[in-house]
Amino acid sequence: MTVASIPRGTRDFGPDIVRKRNYIIQTIRSTFETYGFEPLETPAMENIETLTGKYGDEGDKLMFKILNNGDIYSKGAQATTNQELINAVSEKALRYDLTIPFARYVAMNRSQLTFPFKRFQIQPVWRADNPQRGRFREFYQCDADVIGSKSLISEMELLSIYSRVFEQLNLQVEIKLNNRKILAGLAELAGIADRMMEMTILLDKLDKIGPEKLHELMLKAAFSNDAIACIEQFLAIKGTNETVLLALKELFKHTEIALRGIDEIETVLKGYQLMQQGDKPNQLAIDLTLARGLNYYTGIIIEVKSAEVAMGSIGGGGRYDDLTGIFGVPDMSGVGISFGLDRIYEVLLELNRFPDTTKNGTKVLFINFGNQAETTALQLVQAIRQETIAAEIYPSNEKIKKQMEYANKKQIPFVVLIGENELQNNQVVIKNMASGEQQTVSIATFIQHIKELFSI
RNA sequence: GUGGGUGUAGCUCAGUUGGUUAGAGCAUCGGUUUGUGGUACCGAGGGUCGAGGGUUCGAGCCCCUUCAUCCACCCCA
């Protein structure tokens, strides 16, 4: 016998959970479609060389590799390093995110596509990470990307999508904004342009570890005193978006790349305000420490966190100027965002914000009395379904008690009883399971009664 | 990969300095009720105490190993 279990970091989704997840997915999907994005799905697995090297060393480590079939032993036996072994026995890997597969798709189909191409994709991704709260090894991403346009209108629209989705989900969030060009400018100004990645990863830790600890880490990284002073001057910039922008312009007045980044943020902020007029927009805040790990971002970067629950980010994105270049298609600028479905689920659950409609299931259960009564019940259950009311008949003539228990456990709000007594009088009994009340109605008016119960 | 916590009934957990036959609540099943669930009462089933080894007259409890799981770091959605 096999012990029933699933790999850690993976989950089964029971009926209640699927209904709640579908609610989130439908909210996101319909918003994507409203903004003109088209659906795309790609395979769970990609050729391993499509994915390796795209997410940094850490990403390569966390990628699930698929073992080749056949005789891998003799091929693997000749390997002298871990990497050689992987090359010898694996040529496929599970996708690590949706963006690189999307870039691959665009590169493969560029002649068929109409640009700018706007696609959304809602599929699971896999990472061989250590699971913990809000972190799984199989989880869903809900991505929307625009590729083939440099216009900042895309950024504005994607931010607007964030705002709209979280408003519809009744969640308060902080949408944080930064620009890789500003970070590049900072690295340049600090004289450590060659170590920008290292610097941004350190900056990203600031709100977690505090300025003193950050100072220590920068010393440890052997940044010069001048460089550290420059970075700390940068981090001291605080206030409203307007004052931050002003201070940035002053600090970077001779750093061209940063100025462009500042200008982009300013443009996007203005456009966003314009688009959100009339709505109560989620506030955008410039966060100069926002870095984001994925190293293909080149312009504006975005991150969303819950304002109500302590959780990692529940969404993120940014612009990448040359994503398809690695697949031989240069100069394709794209910008995208991603929703972390699983984390949004955890947040909604914790705040108890799922609407009652996610409890939907069967609305009416017909008790099975067997024989002639069963035949009548079968006809009536089908008639109810014609009205698109979810209904079912208990499949066998069990004790009434057992059938009632079934209705109770499935939280079915109404039960219909048609026994011999009712049959003789051409009547049925409708029982309200919440109140316990029951009414006897004629078969002729039964459908009408049911429709009234559901206000149809 | 690093550090810490926890593994006892289907679930959540008690279990005294190491001492007889390992308990509770919930859940399940049966009954009070052969045409009525949810509430109440009565009863029943259910355990290799994660696994393996060791110490001991005796181990759920102590020691070692191992596995699983959770939390944190790294990194990330």
Side-chain angles (χ1 to χ4, degrees):
Chain A
M1 197 185 75
T2 310
V3 176
S5 67
I6 56 175
R8 75 200 174 101
T10 67
R11 293 143 309 153
D12 290 319
F13 302 120
D16 290 350
I17 301 175
V18 170
R19 272 197 282 270
K20 290 186 168 78
R21 289 168 61 89
N22 282 346
Y23 157 71
I24 302 172
I25 290 172
Q26 274 158 19
T27 304
I28 295 172
R29 179 195 302 277
S30 69
T31 304
F32 284 164
E33 286 175 338
T34 303
Y35 281 71
F37 288 79
E38 300 186 275
L40 175 73
E41 293 190 16
T42 63
M45 65 186 87
E46 293 278 348
N47 290 328
I48 202 164
E49 59 273 16
T50 302
L51 303 181
T52 42
K54 309 304 190 295
Y55 310 102
D57 293 343
E58 193 70 17
D60 288 351
K61 269 187 223 157
L62 297 182
M63 204 177 310
F64 276 108
K65 289 120 191 148
I66 297 172
L67 218 48
N68 290 348
N69 289 42
D71 177 23
I72 55 174
Y73 179 78
S74 59
K75 286 180 187 158
Q78 287 150 37
T80 55
T81 66
N82 202 39
Q83 193 55 52
E84 279 180 26
L85 181 62
I86 290 170
N87 293 344
V89 302
S90 170
E91 47 197 35
K92 297 176 290 300
L94 294 178
R95 70 168 163 252
Y96 185 84
D97 75 351
L98 301 179
T99 307
I100 295 293
F102 169 56
R104 189 226 77 219
Y105 172 83
V106 169
M108 278 177 69
N109 296 279
R110 59 187 180 280
S111 58
Q112 331 289 332
L113 296 173
T114 308
F115 293 98
F117 181 50
K118 298 166 76 174
R119 83 88 172 78
F120 73 90
Q121 188 170 358
I122 300 175
Q123 288 190 282
V125 303
W126 294 268
R127 294 183 190 175
D129 209 345
N130 247 322
Q132 49 184 277
R133 178 184 154 84
R135 171 180 290 190
F136 307 95
R137 304 180 102 179
E138 177 186 64
F139 62 97
Y140 274 68
Q141 288 188 333
C142 313
D143 277 27
D145 290 79
V146 184
I147 194 158
S149 164
K150 290 191 167 128
S151 166
L152 291 172
I153 285 181
S154 302
E155 272 88 341
M156 296 170 201
E157 288 195 328
L158 292 170
L159 286 167
S160 175
I161 286 175
Y162 266 141
S163 180
R164 183 165 179 152
V165 166
F166 286 115
E167 195 186 317
Q168 283 180 5
L169 292 176
N170 191 20
L171 285 179
Q172 282 160 42
V173 295
E174 293 163 7
I175 304 176
K176 298 194 286 191
L177 210 58
N178 199 6
N179 197 317
R180 276 282 169 95
K181 293 191 174 93
I182 297 178
L183 294 170
L186 175 64
E188 193 182 306
L189 196 65
I192 48 171
D194 52 326
R195 297 173 69 183
M196 176 189 159
M197 271 305 291
E198 201 180 341
M199 181 196 79
T200 54
I201 287 171
L202 286 176
L203 290 192
D204 207 28
K205 296 182 202 299
L206 176 66
D207 57 335
K208 203 173 235 174
I209 62 176
E212 294 81 12
K213 195 88 183 163
L214 180 65
H215 188 88
E216 278 175 39
L217 284 178
M218 287 194 290
L219 284 173
K220 208 169 159 191
F223 288 174
S224 71
N225 285 335
D226 284 353
I228 293 176
C230 177
I231 290 167
E232 287 178 340
Q233 189 189 351
F234 171 80
L235 292 177
I237 296 173
K238 290 198 174 79
T240 64
N241 291 340
E242 288 73 25
T243 55
V244 168
L245 285 171
L246 273 175
L248 285 175
K249 282 179 189 166
E250 175 60 24
L251 180 67
F252 288 115
K253 60 187 169 196
H254 301 305
T255 312
E256 218 276 321
I257 184 160
L259 286 176
R260 275 191 298 158
I262 295 162
D263 191 52
E264 284 177 10
I265 287 195
E266 202 165 14
T267 307
V268 167
L269 280 176
K270 272 186 198 151
Y272 176 80
Q273 296 301 341
L274 205 69
M275 291 174 70
Q276 296 303 116
Q277 272 179 14
D279 297 349
K280 37 181 170 105
N282 280 288
Q283 279 307 307
L284 295 192
I286 298 173
D287 179 351
L288 297 176
T289 67
L290 178 62
R292 295 192 54 77
L294 298 175
N295 49 19
Y296 44 66
Y297 291 122
T298 52
I300 285 194
I301 45 183
I302 309 163
E303 188 159 292
V304 184
K305 294 192 84 168
S306 168
E308 301 165 283
V309 171
M311 174 86 59
S313 64
I314 55 178
R319 179 169 287 273
Y320 32 85
D321 277 333
D322 189 24
L323 193 62
T324 57
I326 45 180
F327 299 113
V329 182
D331 297 325
M332 279 280 229
S333 185
V335 56
I337 56 170
S338 181
F339 288 85
L341 170 64
D342 303 85
R343 286 186 178 174
I344 294 170
Y345 176 91
E346 301 278 326
V347 170
L348 283 169
L349 194 69
E350 199 162 323
L351 295 171
N352 202 14
R353 296 269 170 84
F354 283 105
D356 288 344
T357 51
T358 59
K359 289 175 186 155
N360 271 358
T362 301
K363 293 289 195 298
V364 181
L365 176 75
F366 284 75
I367 301 294
N368 190 328
F369 284 81
N371 298 328
Q372 192 56 42
E374 182 180 293
T375 309
T376 306
L378 269 173
Q379 290 166 338
L380 291 180
V381 73
Q382 204 55 25
I384 289 191
R385 289 170 178 158
Q386 293 294 340
E387 306 295 334
T388 64
I389 295 169
E392 57 182 308
I393 178 168
Y394 199 89
S396 56
N397 179 11
E398 300 286 343
K399 283 186 199 164
I400 308 304
K401 183 185 172 77
K402 186 163 180 178
Q403 300 191 45
M404 294 297 283
E405 271 172 8
Y406 176 82
N408 197 54
K409 276 183 195 150
K410 283 189 72 172
Q411 297 185 50
I412 297 170
F414 294 98
V415 163
V416 173
L417 301 99
I418 316 162
E420 274 180 37
N421 300 342
E422 287 77 18
L423 211 54
Q424 279 172 12
N425 300 318
N426 278 320
Q427 291 177 325
V428 303
V429 170
I430 303 173
K431 174 160 182 159
N432 179 327
M433 292 296 279
S435 66
E437 289 169 22
Q438 40 188 67
Q439 54 175 328
T440 307
V441 304
S442 72
I443 288 183
T445 61
F446 170 68
I447 297 294
Q448 196 50 45
H449 274 95
I450 289 288
K451 283 168 79 171
E452 277 165 20
L453 286 173
F454 293 100
S455 317
I456 297 178

